């Protein structure tokens, strides 16, 4: 998952739509559907996206830059802790293998996965090599919400039992 850019890049300000705004965070919240998952649901943030921290109970990243007790150092693919849901922003765009590994991991260790993924390379992007469409995944997302700005929200529901 090393990307060739350092933590200063990830921790820096990124112009819209590279970073989610309040409207995007509201979509994450809607797609998480916390009442359906349970009021005290656990949510793992894949990465350190500051705008998404209010939605998570834990965060996992290989090179965390946010100093918060909820953050754990680790590779997303190696997660073995079960959560009600997982969220990520741009996590599919680093490379195709990683995108598939994230969906596979989430299908084993969560009931729901919500990801905002870029659908094309945008001018400010320094790294990105995979811009998936819903049909690119072995497990097809149940919800796809595309936006003209060059991204889409995807939601998978892996298990419905409590």
């Amino acid at each position: 998952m090393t990307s060739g850019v350092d933590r200063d890049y990830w921790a820096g300000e990124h112009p819209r739509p590279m970073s989610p705004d309040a409207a995007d965070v509201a979509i994450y919240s809607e797609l998480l559907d916390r009442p359906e998952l349970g009021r005290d649901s656990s949510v793992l943030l894949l990465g350190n996206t500051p705008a998404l921290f209010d939605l998570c109970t834990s965060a996992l990243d290989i090179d965390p830059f946010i100093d918060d007790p909820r953050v754990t150092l680790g590779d997303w693919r190696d997660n073995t802790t079960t959560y009600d849901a997982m969220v990520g922003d741009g996590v599919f765009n680093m490379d195709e293998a990683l995108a598939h590994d994230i969906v596979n991991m989430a299908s084993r260790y969560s009931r729901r996965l919500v990801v905002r993924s870029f659908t094309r390379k945008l001018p400010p992007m320094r790294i990105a090599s995979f811009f998936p469409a819903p049909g690119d995944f072995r497990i097809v997302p149940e919800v796809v919400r595309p936006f003209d700005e060059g991204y889409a929200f995807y939601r998978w529901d892996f298990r419905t039992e409590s």
Side-chain angles (χ1 to χ4, degrees), residues 118-157:
F118 294 96
T119 57
R120 64 181 183 267
K121 190 157 185 124
L122 301 176
M125 289 182 174
R126 286 183 48 191
I127 61 155
S129 65
F130 185 54
F131 304 93
D136 291 336
F137 294 98
R138 182 182 56 80
I139 305 169
V140 179
E142 282 80 8
V143 176
V144 178
R145 196 175 294 178
F147 288 83
D148 291 338
E149 294 171 284
Y151 63 88
F153 280 90
Y154 299 132
R155 183 178 102 180
W156 286 261
D157 292 310

Side-chain angles (χ1 to χ4, degrees), residues 28-105:
Y28 273 104
S29 186
E30 174 193 336
L31 292 175
L32 278 172
D33 194 4
R34 279 265 177 63
E36 181 180 292
L37 291 175
R39 285 174 38 108
D40 297 324
S41 57
S42 58
V43 177
L44 177 66
L45 170 60
L46 303 171
N48 290 263
T49 307
L52 300 181
F53 255 78
D54 286 345
L55 299 177
C56 78
T57 55
S58 300
L60 178 66
D61 198 75
I62 203 161
D63 190 16
F65 56 82
I66 293 179
D67 184 22
D68 186 293
R70 294 175 289 174
V71 178
T72 302
L73 175 68
D75 189 315
W76 305 326
R77 297 169 288 200
D78 297 334
N79 175 64
T80 58
T81 301
T82 299
Y83 295 89
D84 293 305
M86 296 180 184
V87 296
D89 192 67
V91 297
F92 289 164
N93 300 115
M94 289 188 217
D95 70 50
E96 184 174 0
L98 177 60
H100 293 295
D101 289 346
I102 290 169
V103 174
N104 290 335
M105 179 278 295

